[in-house]
Amino acid sequence: MKIDVGFSILMGVVIGIVSCYFFGKKTILKKYIHLLEKANFQATKIIKNAEKEGESIKKKKMIQAKEKFIELKYKHEKDVHFRERKIIDIENKTREKENRLSKEIEIYFKKNNRLETQIHDYEIKYKILKKKQEEFKNIHKKQVEFLEKISHYSSEEARNELMDIFKEEAKVKAQSHIQNIIEESQLTAKMEAKKIVIQAIQRIGTEETIENAVSVFNIESDDVKGRIIGREGRNIRALEKATGVEIIVDDTPEAILLSCFNPIRREIARLSLHKLVVDGRIHPARIEEIVERTEKQIEEEIVEIGKKNIIDLGIHGIHTELIRMIGRMKYRSSYGQNLLQHSREVAHLSGILASELGLNAKLAKRAGFLHDIGKIPERESEQPHAILGMQWAEKYGENMEICNAIGSHHDEIEMKVLISPIVQIADSISGARPGVRRNSFESYSKRLKNLENIAISFYGVNKAFAIQAGRELRVLVESDKIDDKKAFQLSCDISEKIKNEMTYPGQIKVTVIRETRAVQIAR
């Protein structure tokens, strides 16, 4: 009984499930058919709307095309009309030019006829004048022959004699006139020039120190010398190799000599030695380390020195490379004169002279400070230092006036601006003062000998003496060969030859002495 009930229930469930399946499937099928019909309707509607929009767009495009065609047609007609007007204007101008040219041609032919008439008249007058000239030549020739016959002189001899007389008179008058002009100009200009120069020197008044190519390194005891030399001299060789300085260890008590023409390398060696002695560890590896560190320190000091000096002088806007070159000037000397001190002095003098003359003092000071930067090349150059300095100034953005003043302060190039002679004068004042610079004995004696030889090479000179360190040349002449007027001309000729053949700082005074002696003996 229980089994039948269970089976009945199971069968009922199965039948229910099957009936639900078939009923649901039928319902879904009806929904699907409904959606499909709805989609077909919407598709038909969309197609109709698209066709309507297509027709509308087609009509708009046709209208736009017609408008564009009308616009292009109007533009073309306008261009054609403009070209026609332009052609008409050109034709009118051409017609006017033709008319004007035809009138000018008529005027030209009329003038040409008048000119031909004038030329004919001039030809007749020229023939008459030429005939008169021939008659005058014949008369002049007869007169000359008559005068030659009377004076027993040919015309050529008389002409040469007259020319010699006139030349001598003109030369004497010219010398006298030149002497008067020079004396008058000296009375007015010499005192004013001296006043300006003296004021400039008074306002500078700096002390100068003369540097050598040898530095002395002091040590506390001679025991340090052995440590510096090292075993078999390895330390001193390493130090010389690293610094490029010759180290002289001799019997001088408590001192070591550092010899080198380059002051920067000499200073690096001195500081390195000081650090090594203080540290106590002296061996090749330590030497290289200390020298490298000292080189970096010196480079930094060079830049600081350059910056400090341009700030002190009130100069601004200098390139960093030029600042480094200015710093290197401290370790460079010229004829024993410190280059940085010399440049500072030339800068001050240039500024003072420029201000006294009413010129740009700042520009003159800048040019004076940079005038010798060509003396500190990192590599040797065959060019003069003035030209090299001018090229560096151009490279690092200095203006034309500064560059010309640098390049022309030794007359290598032409002076084109007013500050150029000012810088040259300031350089001469700074370098030519007694005791500032030191020349070698050989160059000094050679310069004096050349001065005397130039004077002796002139006719009538008996003796010549260079005095005051070559700043004055006294010339003794023979009184029977050179008179007073020729003595003045001789001084001018000697000074001109010195200018052309010698290079010298400052100026050289040429004094010609002519002496007449009358000697009698009473017996």
Side-chain angles (χ1 to χ4, degrees), residues 219 225-226 228-229 236 247-252 255-257:
I219 54 179
K225 290 184 179 180
I228 292 173
I229 294 171
I236 196 169
I247 300 173
I248 303 170
V249 182
D250 53 13
D251 296 335
T252 306
I256 294 174
L257 299 180

Side-chain angles (χ1 to χ4, degrees), residues 71 83 92 173 214 222 277 378 406 449 462 480 484:
E71 184 182 349
R83 289 177 183 174
N92 293 332
K173 289 181 180 179
V214 176
D222 290 341
V277 171
E378 294 182 355
I406 294 171
K449 192 68 177 175
N462 186 17
D480 56 339
D484 291 336

Side-chain angles (χ1 to χ4, degrees), residues 255-508:
I256 294 174
L257 299 180
L258 308 176
S259 177
C260 180
F261 72 94
N262 189 325
I264 296 177
R265 293 210 302 263
R266 201 165 63 243
E267 182 67 11
I268 290 171
R270 189 187 67 80
L271 292 175
S272 300
L273 262 177
H274 177 72
K275 291 177 181 179
L276 287 168
V277 171
V278 171
D279 184 56
R281 294 175 294 169
I282 305 176
H283 53 83
R286 182 65 176 167
I287 288 170
E288 291 179 1
E289 179 186 350
I290 292 294
V291 169
E292 185 177 355
R293 192 186 303 169
T294 306
E295 286 177 351
K296 292 179 180 178
Q297 178 187 344
I298 289 292
E299 284 296 325
E300 292 173 358
E301 288 181 2
I302 284 171
V303 175
E304 289 299 321
I305 290 167
K307 289 180 180 179
K308 182 178 180 298
N309 279 275
I310 63 174
I311 290 170
D312 290 345
L313 292 172
I315 300 172
H316 305 286
I318 291 183
H319 195 276
T320 52
E321 280 298 318
L322 293 180
I323 292 174
R324 194 168 66 85
M325 292 177 187
I326 291 166
R328 290 171 65 88
M329 287 182 183
K330 180 183 177 182
Y331 302 99
R332 174 72 160 82
S333 60
S334 178
Y335 297 100
Q337 184 182 21
N338 183 269
L339 190 59
L340 181 59
Q341 293 297 327
H342 168 63
S343 298
R344 286 176 62 96
E345 186 171 309
V346 172
H348 284 300
L349 286 167
S350 300
I352 294 166
L353 291 171
S355 62
E356 290 290 335
L357 297 172
L359 301 175
N360 190 335
K362 289 186 177 179
L363 199 65
K365 186 184 288 187
R366 189 186 188 100
F369 192 49
L370 297 175
H371 80 286
D372 267 349
I373 57 172
K375 285 186 177 180
I376 47 173
E378 294 182 355
R379 296 181 181 178
E380 292 298 327
S381 174
E382 295 181 357
Q383 290 183 321
H385 74 273
I387 302 298
L388 191 61
M390 180 184 69
Q391 292 174 355
W392 284 349
E394 290 175 351
K395 180 180 178 181
Y396 296 121
E398 295 296 325
N399 64 28
M400 182 273 294
E401 295 181 351
I402 301 291
C403 297
N404 182 256
I406 294 171
S408 64
H409 77 275
H410 284 311
D411 294 322
E412 275 85 2
I413 63 172
E414 181 185 357
M415 295 183 181
K416 296 181 179 180
V417 292
L418 290 176
I419 65 169
S420 298
I422 289 175
V423 172
Q424 187 184 54
I425 292 167
D427 180 48
S428 300
I429 293 171
S430 176
R433 289 188 286 111
V436 173
R437 293 189 173 183
R438 180 182 61 199
N439 295 324
S440 63
F441 176 75
E442 291 81 4
S443 62
Y444 172 76
S445 59
K446 185 178 179 181
R447 186 165 70 88
L448 299 188
K449 192 68 177 175
N450 289 339
L451 270 176
E452 294 174 355
N453 289 337
I454 287 173
I456 293 172
S457 65
F458 284 86
Y459 172 78
V461 176
N462 186 17
K463 292 179 183 180
F465 302 101
I467 61 176
Q468 293 187 5
R471 303 194 185 283
E472 183 177 354
L473 180 65
R474 292 192 178 177
V475 183
L476 306 180
V477 297
E478 299 177 11
S479 59
D480 56 339
K481 295 180 180 179
I482 305 293
D483 57 13
D484 291 336
K485 294 177 181 178
K486 289 182 180 179
F488 175 76
Q489 182 63 34
L490 180 63
S491 66
C492 296
D493 294 341
I494 293 173
S495 62
E496 189 66 28
K497 190 171 183 180
I498 290 171
K499 289 178 187 177
N500 296 332
E501 296 185 5
M502 292 189 66
T503 302
Y504 53 89
Q507 61 183 15
I508 297 175

